[in-house]
């Protein structure tokens, strides 16, 4: 084939004329005479010329000729086909949604999930959540996309713009995704264990999975007891697992009598194992928790990590003596 220069993947070079007329005739199925006639009459194709006046056709010329030929085969007159193809070629390409920064990508991912929830479109929701999982490390995905989405869903449900059905659909799908991610990021051969559970009346388990991702990032194996963990169940788990730390999660504030009985039960269950309480409602129980030897987890992840490392170091110093 009469090709003048080598192929290039550089898009800027695709418009360079490099094919002789016979080659173009073979590639497009349009005869050399017709190519010359179309050029003269309609300006398609528009080859460049070599120093010795040979026509040189570019990839774009070839694409345009093929389009004119297809339209003609469909019954359109060549003059009209050429006009259609030229108009199409001049139209600006549709804008591609390409976020400029990670923050934009995260905001767009939140929006996609919320749109799917608004439409009650389970398939779309599934695909928006899957897409979000690829936008960074697990902790970033959770904290920059899934947590703000859940918070927005809660706010919309509270103001009445989302139904309970929509809230459940989203919570279920996002919750499942987070559980799945946690299984993937559990560090192998970890030599420290965090035992995690929700308070006995607590169904909000996704916040606990969110914090489990942090523990996994810090090299902890996490053993999950999940929602509604009674005090006796924690006692049994502590005895069996012998964790380095216990983390309890609380989103809804229990009534005072219930809070007292649960905190007493959890303190007893943990014995000498350090235990911390986190979640939106945790600070409200600060006094009772610290009276029984527990600690309210700071919400700043850096401070939380320092606290956890300090508690582990203190425990290992105590067990050495
Ligand atoms: C999903 C959801 C549900 C789901 C939960 C499903 C599940 N598997 O988790 C279902 C449908 C079951 C549910 C039920 C209810 N819900 Co609800 N729910 C929510 C929603 C939308 C999201 C919760 C969530 O996952 N948040 C996302 C995470 C990231 O939250 P987070 O607290 O920030 O978690 C971080 C920290 O707190 C911390 N953390 C958390 N735990 C721990 C533990 C440790 C050890 C550490 C260190 C840190 C830590 O780390 C986490 C990760 O960064 C919230 C809205 C909201 N704003 O939270 C309402 C919300 C929490 N629910 C609410 C209510 C009222 C209820 C119900 C009472 C409704 C009803 N009438 O039945 C019930 C209560 C059930 C119960 N007994 O627990 C209210 C609570 C208001 C209040 N404070 O009293 C909220 C705030 C909605 C609202 N705007 O009114 N809910």
């Amino acid at each position: 084939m009469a090709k003048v220069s080598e192929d290039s993947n550089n898009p800027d070079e695709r418009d360079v004329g490099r094919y002789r007329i016979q080659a173009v005739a073979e590639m497009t199925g349009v005869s050399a005479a017709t190519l010359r006639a179309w050029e003269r009459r309609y300006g398609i194709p528009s080859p460049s010329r070599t120093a010795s006046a040979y026509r040189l056709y570019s990839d774009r010329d070839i694409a345009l000729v093929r389009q004119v030929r297809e339209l003609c085969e469909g019954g359109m007159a060549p003059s009209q086909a050429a006009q259609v193809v030229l108009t199409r070629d001049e139209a600006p390409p549709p804008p591609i949604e390409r976020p400029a920064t990670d923050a934009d990508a995260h905001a767009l991912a939140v929006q996609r999930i919320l749109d799917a929830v608004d439409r009650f479109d389970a398939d779309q929701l599934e695909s928006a959540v899957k897409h979000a999982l690829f936008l960074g490390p697990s902790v970033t995905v959770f904290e920059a996309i899934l947590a703000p989405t859940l918070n927005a869903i809660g706010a919309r449900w509270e103001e009445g713009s989302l139904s309970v059905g929509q809230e459940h659909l989203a919570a279920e799908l996002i919750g499942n995704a987070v559980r799945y991610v946690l299984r993937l990021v559990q560090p192998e051969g970890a030599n420290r264990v965090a035992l995690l559970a929700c308070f006995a009346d607590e169904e909000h388990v996704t916040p606990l999975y969110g914090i489990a991702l942090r523990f996994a990032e810090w090299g902890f194996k996490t053993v999950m007891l999940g929602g509604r963990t009674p005090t006796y169940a924690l006692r049994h788990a502590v005895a069996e697992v012998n964790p380095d730390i216990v983390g309890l999660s609380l989103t809804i504030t229990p009534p005072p009598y219930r809070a007292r009985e649960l905190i007493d039960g959890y303190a007893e269950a943990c014995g000498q194992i350090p235990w911390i309480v986190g979640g939106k409602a945790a600070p409200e129980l600060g006094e009772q928790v610290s009276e029984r030897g527990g600690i309210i987890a700071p919400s700043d992840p850096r401070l939380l990590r320092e606290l956890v490392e300090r508690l582990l170091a203190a425990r290992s110093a105590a067990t050495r003596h």
Side-chain angles (χ1 to χ4, degrees), residues 150-151 154 158 167-168 201-207 249 279-280:
L150 286 162
N151 286 332
E158 197 181 8
E167 188 212 8
H168 274 237
D201 305 320
E202 187 58 69
E203 284 177 24
H204 297 95
V205 75
T206 306
S249 181
K280 288 203 170 82

Side-chain angles (χ1 to χ4, degrees), residues 142-143 147 150-151 153-155 157-158 167-168 171 179 196 201-208 210-211 215 228 247-252 276-280 297 304:
F142 186 80
E143 296 195 350
L150 286 162
N151 286 332
I153 287 169
W157 167 77
E158 197 181 8
E167 188 212 8
H168 274 237
R179 284 163 204 245
L196 302 177
D201 305 320
E202 187 58 69
E203 284 177 24
H204 297 95
V205 75
T206 306
L208 188 69
I211 204 66
F215 276 96
R228 290 188 174 276
L248 294 166
S249 181
L250 190 66
T251 298
I252 302 257
I276 59 178
V277 182
K280 288 203 170 82
L304 175 61

